[in-house]
Amino acid sequence: MTDTLVPAPLRQAAPLADGTDAEARPVFAEQRRWLGLTATGWQKILAPIAIGLIVLALWEFIVRQAGIPYYILPGPLRIFTTLIADWGTLSGSLWITLQITGLALLAAVLVGGALSILFTQSKWLEYSLFPYAIVLQVTPIVAIAPLIIIWVNDTLLSLLICAWIVAFFPILSNTILGLNSADHNLINLFQLYGASRWQMLRYLRLPAALPYFLGGLRISGGLALIGAVVAEFVAGSGGTASGLAFRILEAGYQLKIPRMFAALAMVSGAGIVIFLVLSLISHLLLRRWHESAIRREN
Amino acid sequence: MAWAASNAAKTVAATANRPLIVLRGIAKRYSNGTTAVTGLDLDLHAGEFVSLLGPSGCGKSTVLRMIAGLGEPSAGSIDWPTSDHDAHGRPLRDVGFVFQEATLMPWATAQQNVMLPLTLKKVATREAAARAQAALAAVGLDSFRRAYPRELSGGMKMRVSIARALVTEPKVLLLDEPFAALDEITRQKLNDDLLALWAKAGFTVLFVTHSVFESVYLSQRVMVMAARPGRVIADVAIDAPLVRDASFRTSPHYAASCRAVSAKLVEAIAA
């Protein structure tokens, strides 16, 4: 049984001036909470953790039972101890990979956002440039990364460019869609009050595009990490930068398989953290008004 | 009631003068060849409450939008003889518009939504907020300033929409089937509240509807339109007292007016 509580603001608003249909306002039922989370909240956190633990235990069990040598497939415990032992080297590489990812994502937001605004202000610009954005998107990064690495002297910068190319398209196309999806009657209303182009953008198109932009951002966050890792794979040991991809390659050459897995686990972990952080940002920005961030009441 | 008398006096005085809006020979053809409206004449006097009634597709919303300046007529003229004009000779239309849906910005609170017309006209934020609060209070939503549209019922959203249209204190309020999506009880309540606001503030109303009962209950004049192509076929005066309430709905006068307007609407549909 869950208690049905009327939230405080509603109780205060109860005595109303005549002429409102406040009775028609939905009364939100509140669920019981444990340590600040509802039952569904705990479910969301505990279920994947349980699955993860079961799979890891099974992995460890199979490796031990079948006597698989660690240089073929190390068990999770050995990977974990390697991660701790090599933390000094690996954390430095993680930091470099995260820097490239973060900067590439930032550049993707800035360039993707700015281009989408430009494109929606001038159809002419959109028609002439958008096809080339698609060309960049569909060209495999593995194919153009070597060229970029040759052309750009600075390795870090070349990796950044590769990661940016992979990451910027979802932001661009989603934000364009968002900027064009403002309610037509609201556009009429803005025209009625003589809104300038800038006011239309500032008060109508940008807020309307926000959910779309954030959807693109969540995709781009993961893509920026993939771009950074793939580009570093292509750059190989030639570069001076030594991110996680370099550590994976290096460990592979040296047959330090547990270390390879440890670096791989860090890449996955970083990807999950990036996704969670971007989801949190999205939730905080949309929770008051957008359907995607609102719990269904029935 | 004092306000009713003052509004009636205003109407009489204004009628003697030039009308507020004059439409002559208005036609609207769309690029796909359909003719939405043809040969439409309409005079709107200051302080009047006029309804445009007609079957769907008769172009009544089109007329309303053209008066608001959302789309130019293909032929004919819309003049604002008593209004100021800008350097290009275009009239400075002083209108508030209420759409069929509430058309609120979902990311903004009720107060921010009502502030919008003032924000766009670059009124200082503090003054805009105060005026928005007053407008929300006038429609009975004083305690819901900080609510987001999704937290409001359909009737309350429409009240916010009306407050937004009135916050600039326009001379003319244009309403495009504003209560069509609401339930009957909410609709009657909003009808009464709209009449009270009109009587108090003395603006001019052009109200588009497809409900005979609503048009008779609210208006001083009902313009009946026929479809394909849209044109006015009758102008029925509802010379009932200005104070209208539940008792008016049961009066013989109301019944007679509804019959008269219905007969015209039948003609409109047959035409």
Side-chain angles (χ1 to χ4, degrees):
Chain A
M1 275 289 286
T2 53
D3 311 43
T4 307
L5 297 167
V6 181
L10 270 189
R11 267 185 266 126
Q12 285 165 4
L16 278 162
D18 193 34
T20 58
D21 44 354
E23 322 78 66
R25 198 179 185 213
V27 173
F28 299 107
E30 280 215 342
Q31 285 184 302
R32 178 170 284 173
R33 288 162 183 274
W34 293 272
L35 297 173
L37 280 175
T38 59
T40 17
W42 280 110
Q43 217 178 343
K44 266 193 204 163
I45 294 174
L46 291 179
I49 289 180
I51 291 290
L53 287 178
I54 290 169
V55 170
L56 287 178
L58 207 65
W59 179 356
E60 186 71 36
F61 175 76
I62 291 171
V63 166
R64 280 169 193 250
Q65 277 306 104
I68 302 173
Y70 70 84
Y71 50 83
I72 303 288
L73 179 67
L77 281 178
R78 183 181 277 272
I79 295 170
F80 185 70
T81 47
T82 314
L83 185 66
I84 303 291
D86 294 354
W87 181 253
T89 336
L90 289 178
S91 63
S93 301
L94 173 68
W95 177 235
I96 288 171
T97 302
L98 283 182
Q99 269 181 318
I100 295 170
T101 307
L103 287 173
L105 189 60
L106 185 70
V109 168
L110 292 179
V111 178
L115 276 183
S116 53
I117 290 171
L118 274 181
F119 285 5
T120 44
Q121 294 301 302
S122 151
K123 279 279 158 217
W124 213 82
L125 262 181
E126 181 180 356
Y127 292 149
S128 39
L129 289 181
F130 195 68
Y132 297 100
I134 300 173
V135 168
L136 270 187
Q137 159 74 7
V138 296
T139 311
I141 190 67
V142 203
I144 43 175
L147 290 172
I148 292 168
I149 289 160
I150 290 168
W151 291 335
V152 181
N153 279 324
D154 185 64
T155 318
L156 218 79
L157 185 62
S158 62
L159 298 185
L160 192 61
I161 292 171
C162 292
W164 170 78
I165 287 175
V166 180
F168 96 105
F169 191 77
I171 291 183
L172 178 72
S173 70
N174 268 29
T175 313
I176 289 178
L177 181 65
L179 288 168
N180 285 329
S181 58
D183 183 325
H184 283 195
N185 273 333
L186 273 175
I187 295 176
N188 280 335
L189 188 83
F190 273 67
Q191 269 176 8
L192 190 77
Y193 289 113
S196 65
R197 211 169 239 252
W198 162 247
Q199 284 178 323
M200 191 86 98
L201 184 68
R202 158 91 177 70
Y203 296 111
L204 179 59
R205 291 195 190 277
L206 286 179
L210 187 64
Y212 296 82
F213 164 78
L214 291 168
L217 185 67
R218 278 203 282 188
I219 302 170
S220 290
L223 286 180
L225 181 67
I226 292 176
V229 170
V230 167
E232 211 192 348
F233 260 103
V234 176
S237 49
T240 44
S242 39
L244 281 176
F246 175 76
R247 293 291 162 217
I248 292 173
L249 277 177
E250 184 191 51
Y253 293 139
Q254 298 169 354
L255 282 179
K256 287 182 179 165
I257 306 301
R259 189 174 178 174
M260 201 173 154
F261 270 91
L264 204 55
M266 286 176 103
V267 173
S268 312
I272 292 169
V273 169
I274 289 169
F275 183 80
L276 288 178
V277 168
L278 295 178
S279 298
L280 180 70
I281 292 173
S282 173
H283 178 78
L284 290 177
L285 287 174
L286 301 181
R287 66 189 162 142
R288 288 305 300 269
W289 65 274
H290 198 254
E291 296 297 336
S292 69
I294 292 161
R295 197 157 32 92
R296 225 151 50 105
E297 300 299 342
N298 49 0
Chain B
M1 276 231 193
W3 53 255
S6 75
N7 209 336
K10 252 189 265 173
T11 310
V12 170
T15 318
N17 296 321
R18 286 177 300 174
L20 194 61
I21 307 174
V22 181
L23 279 72
R24 285 291 174 268
I26 292 298
K28 180 73 180 179
R29 277 177 296 276
Y30 287 109
S31 50
N32 63 8
T34 54
T35 304
V37 182
T38 184
L40 185 133
D41 297 339
L42 191 157
D43 288 2
L44 202 59
H45 293 94
E48 264 190 317
F49 198 127
V50 178
S51 285
L52 271 180
L53 173 75
S56 55
C58 72
K60 48 195 193 299
S61 296
T62 309
V63 173
L64 206 67
R65 278 160 193 269
M66 286 190 290
I67 293 174
L70 300 167
E72 293 291 314
S74 315
S77 62
I78 301 177
D79 294 316
W80 294 66
T82 58
S83 298
D84 294 331
H85 290 65
D86 67 8
H88 304 281
R90 285 186 298 249
L92 297 171
R93 300 183 185 88
D94 190 5
V95 298
F97 201 103
V98 178
F99 294 90
Q100 192 168 351
E101 288 97 37
T103 314
L104 303 176
M105 302 180 289
W107 54 82
T109 61
Q111 180 173 321
Q112 289 165 340
N113 266 294
V114 176
M115 278 169 72
L116 178 75
L118 301 175
T119 310
L120 293 178
K121 288 184 185 303
K122 300 198 173 80
V123 174
T125 310
R126 183 179 296 227
E127 191 201 330
R131 283 170 68 179
Q133 281 176 25
L136 277 172
V139 297
L141 286 181
D142 205 15
S143 53
F144 289 89
R145 295 203 300 257
R146 286 183 197 87
Y148 283 78
R150 61 166 290 273
E151 298 166 333
L152 302 172
S153 70
M156 293 163 92
K157 279 185 213 165
M158 196 40 85
R159 285 172 191 280
V160 176
S161 191
I162 292 171
R164 179 179 61 192
L166 293 179
V167 76
T168 56
E169 293 170 15
K171 271 191 218 147
V172 182
L173 182 63
L174 305 169
L175 302 102
D176 188 3
E177 299 189 33
F179 312 139
L182 301 176
D183 62 275
E184 191 57 30
I185 296 163
T186 310
R187 179 202 274 237
Q188 287 189 6
K189 189 102 190 63
L190 279 165
N191 279 341
D192 286 335
D193 291 354
L194 178 63
L195 276 179
L197 283 168
W198 167 70
K200 198 154 60 177
F203 46 79
T204 309
V205 179
L206 188 56
F207 189 98
V208 163
T209 179
H210 54 236
S211 160
V212 171
F213 307 108
E214 197 172 46
S215 66
V216 169
Y217 185 70
L218 290 172
S219 345
Q220 296 171 304
R221 271 202 296 148
V222 178
M223 317 270 293
V224 183
M225 287 183 73
R228 274 171 287 276
R231 64 209 183 274
V232 173
I233 62 149
D235 184 345
V236 184
I238 314 293
D239 42 0
L242 279 165
V243 192
R244 292 177 185 180
D245 50 28
S247 66
F248 177 56
R249 277 187 212 281
T250 52
S251 70
H253 197 131
Y254 176 73
S257 299
C258 285
R259 263 199 304 279
V261 173
S262 289
K264 292 293 177 192
L265 189 61
V266 169
E267 276 176 40
I269 293 165

